[in-house]
Each structure stands twice: as C-alpha cells, then as structure tokens.
Amino acid sequence: MPSTPSPPPHPNSRDETVPAERRTLTVDSLARVEGEGALHIVVHEGAVESAQLRIYEPPRFFEALLRGRAFTEPPDITSRICGICPVAYQVSACNALEQVCGTELDPPLRALRRLLYCGEWIASHCLHIFLLHLPDFLGFPDAVALAQAERALVEQGLALKKAGNALLELIGGRAIHPVNVKLGGFYSTPEPRALTELAEQLRRGLDDAVQIARRVARFDFPAVDLGCDFVAVTDAPRYAIETGEVRTSGGQTFPAAGFAEHITEQQVRHSTALHATLDGRQYLTGPLARYTLNSAQLSPIARELADDIGLDSSCRNPFRSILVRLVEVAYALDEALRLIADYRQPPRAAVPVRSRPGTGHGVSEAPRGLLYHRYELDTEGIVRTATIVPPTSQNQAVMEEDLRRVVGANLHLSDAELTALCESTIRNYDPCISCSAHFLALEVTGR
C-alpha cells in the first residue's frame, strides 16, 4: 500500500448536474469512536431538512450517584465515567472540591498533577490518531488493515501510547481508572529516579511524533472552516491542561464559577445526552478550540512543529484536527520532559483538605475538550448536588450542523461515498459517548 493518503470526498464539492435522489443510507454501527448512538438525516426536495445525532445509550446517572457521598469520593467515582480520559474527570473533580474547601496545592504536587495529565493526553490522542482516525486518510477500513500495510507507522503510534500509559501507571497507579489521585494531591509520589528512567522513552516518542506529523501534513485535507464560537480553558503563560479560566473566541474570559452563567444545557428529544449553548449560540470545545485560543502558549518545540506542518495560529478545519492533536502530543511529551527534569520528590504527598459548606467549580482540558464539574457540599462534607458537563455533549450541536452541511453539499455522491464521508466527519471530533466500541447508525431518508 503506498504511503500517500486516499482522502475522503471534498465536503464542499457539489456537482449540480447530478440530481438529488430519494434514498436511504444505513450504517448499523460505526466503529472507531467510543459510545452508542444513531444519526438520522432527512432529505426533502434535494435539501437536508434535519440532521439529528441520536444518543441512545442509557444515562449512567453519575451525578445522582454522587449525591449523599462524602466530599472525598468524587475523584474516584467520576474516574469510572471514562476508561480513556479518567484523569480528566479526577482532576476537574479535585479542582472543584479543592476550590470550595479553600485548598491550595503545594507547587510540586500541582506540577505532578500536570505531568499525570500529560500522560493521559499522550495516550488518548495516540489512540485516536493511530487506531481511529488515520485509517480514514490512508484509505483503510480499520486499524488492523492499516497495521498490515503500515506496520512501522502503527508500531510508532503504539509506542507513543505506551509512553503515555507509563506515566499514568507510575504516577496514577494504573493506566485505566488511576487509584493514586486524591484531594490535595496523591496517596504517594514517585521517586525521581523512576521518572528519570521514563525520560528516554519520552524523548524517542517526541522524535517520532515530529516525524509522523510532518508526514500527515502532506495529506490532502478538504477545505472546511467552522464558523461557530470556540471555548477552551486558558492558563497563560502555559498551554492549558489541568486548570485555568474559561476563554471564548468572542473575547470573553471567566472563571470556572462563571461557567453556568454562560453555558446552558438543554434536553433534546432525540438524545439522552444534553446539548449546550454559549450565551444562546453553538460552540465547539476540544483540540481546535484549545489550539486556536492558546497556540501562543505552546512550547518552542511544539510551536516550531506547528509552523513546520503549516498550521497558522488558529485552525478551524475539523479534518485538520489530526494535525492539531499531533502538535499537542509533541507538546505533552516536551512538557513531560520539562516537568521530569524539574521534579524533586515533594516533602508530602498531599496537603490536608477540610470540608466546608459551599459550592465549588472546576474545569480542565480533557483530550476532547473542556470538562466542567460543580459540587455543592453541606456542613457535614456531604455532596448535595453534582453537575458534570463533558466535552462531547457540548460538541453535539456543532457535529449535527457540520453533518447537515456535509450531506447538503454532497448529495451527488453515491450512497457508499456519502456514508463514508459522514463517518469520517464524525470521527474528526473524536466523540466519546462512553467506552464501548460503536457509536453511529446512519439513516438518510427522502420524502
């Protein structure tokens, strides 16, 4: 198999000589994303009348499960929400609860928490890039077929993911649902020697990430620009990962406590997941938003790589999100090496956290975008209410709008081509509905 990509059809291409047809397209299940759902598209008289992302996976009621629990429990409980980004849930929970309790981490503990989060970014991004997303660009049906033709490339990707997993295991206790995170820090901290031994693995990974990004940059990406607002955490002068304030592409900046004043969730009849709006407008969170709002805070190595592969200071093309993720992998590896070089084992593994009544708000940047937690504690340190807003639910409305545009601009394509284009469009966003393997059933009906 040649190394040149076989890109998806151009989403803005339209052949007016081919009439729109009444037809039905069905994808029983879409692999290479996480979760379960369906997509229903209605085409009426050559136009897309509706595009609904129907999340039919049953609600998991984590917010209800948290009510009545001790204030120390949410970091462990919420990490079970996702096996791919458990650290994000732990850290957002810690941020919210430490805020309401008036707890400030020792600087070495805060740095160690950021290092742990770097491990999750590396592992999660590499899972998506190499096993879920690259097959679309290289013309393969799945990662197994890709590995048969591009063994060295997939091995590089798995080695990168392994480096991220190594950080998660060493600092978090295990790669999936880490058990070493607690309010105020950790149950134990690693010895410097153990982290130093990982540095060479991370350095090799950084070289590989740069090499792969340069190759992927040669792909033929469809020309698409999202016009929606972008929302991400910002933490100048650093590239935001584990904490910060909320920033929008419209120029607003507000603390985590202001999230609910600007972000409103509402139920839609076709989905068990809530939709969200920013002051009444659609918005996107995730790598494109993060990069566009914070690219100036990238490390010199990551900034040089972004320039080298043709990324400007902002990126609004969802098909080029794979490049942004590769830049973020390089950044996370570089940042991890910096944190390891500066690491000295903290004198204590955690600072004391004493509960007090009130409401705490926390945000962090999960690999897929901004993750918000809110907890209300009573005088006994019991959680009375909990609110969790994950990035994928925030992005659903934009994904639906993108699919509407893509289908409307490509009704001339064959059923197979249009179905493949819808699938690859969804995978640009790396949605994480849950930790299962299937996500989308696609049905297009004309009437």
Side-chain angles (χ1 to χ4, degrees), residues 302-320:
R303 181 67 261 169
E304 182 180 354
L305 175 60
D307 293 340
D308 190 34
I309 62 177
L311 285 175
D312 295 327
S313 59
S314 66
C315 180
R316 287 184 165 269
N317 185 341
F319 283 94
R320 289 169 68 85

Side-chain angles (χ1 to χ4, degrees), residues 21 24 27 29 72 78-79 126 135 153 179 196 199 320 337 377 433:
E21 298 176 343
T24 298
V27 178
S29 60
T72 55
T78 60
S79 77
C126 289
L153 177 62
V179 293
T196 302
R320 289 169 68 85
L337 287 167
L377 302 183
I433 304 304

Side-chain angles (χ1 to χ4, degrees), residues 1 140-152 154:
M1 178 72 187
F140 294 97
D142 51 48
V144 175
L146 174 62
Q148 291 173 340
E150 294 271 4
R151 183 183 180 92
V154 173

